[in-house]
Amino acid sequence: MANYNTPLRQYQWGKETTKGAAVAATTPILATGMSFTPKDTLLRPNIARGYMMRGKGMEVPVERWTEWALASTPLPYDQICNWLSMAVKGGVTPVAEDTTAWKWTFNRTPGDLPAPDSWTLERRIAASGGDTIDNEWAYALARTLTFRGAPNGEVSFEAAGFARRIQVSTMTGSLTAETGKYPVHARSHLYMDGAVGSIGTTLVSS
């Protein structure tokens, strides 16, 4: 029997048809790690009841949600469109450039609502002895997307966002991850926007 000094984790996701309505995951997330932090606030009024020690008694939930973060990960070409759909613009479909290439355009109009796509996130923690803990978070959206690159290295990616409160779940099984294609810095290009909200055409060469 294998014993793990560090719990093994697995992450998966699925795009929601209706925002906030959890769905079964459709593919594993290509990530080095993710963190989930509960953000629960309860109102506990310290009412004077004539006792020497005031009992808090009643509790009223004010907010219950989750803050999630994706650890620095080599940029997954196969899934970058998913991350962009969570923050920049939703409902984007690809256009065929030729018989072998597709173009995804996340052209955001500043005056319009981006209507991002929400996702359901799943996580499994496998502990020593074969025990597992499965959880899910519906209505996951991204707040920040960060791209980093350095000469002679890969393009890395980080993300952070929010979702609904943690729920007990059952990990969707038998999913196959993409092979994973990762762009390197030497073969990447950065373009400057000519106008706010438009796709850039000016190549930044230095």
Side-chain angles (χ1 to χ4, degrees), residues 88-180:
V88 180
K89 186 178 181 179
V92 176
T93 55
V95 176
E97 290 282 275
D98 53 45
T99 58
T100 61
W102 293 82
K103 181 179 180 180
W104 299 74
T105 304
F106 289 85
N107 193 359
R108 183 168 175 175
T109 303
D112 296 342
L113 294 175
D117 297 328
S118 62
W119 292 69
T120 297
L121 308 179
E122 295 181 351
R123 180 192 65 186
R124 165 167 288 179
I125 299 177
S128 178
D131 296 330
T132 60
I133 301 174
D134 293 348
N135 295 111
E136 72 175 16
W137 294 262
Y139 210 172
L141 295 168
R143 182 183 288 117
T144 61
L145 305 175
T146 304
F147 300 85
R148 304 180 190 276
N152 302 319
E154 79 281 356
V155 178
S156 61
F157 175 72
E158 299 171 20
F162 56 90
R164 287 187 170 166
R165 63 183 300 194
I166 186 172
Q167 298 290 335
V168 176
S169 178
T170 300
M171 193 79 161
T172 305
S174 303
L175 298 182
T176 302
E178 290 93 345
T179 303

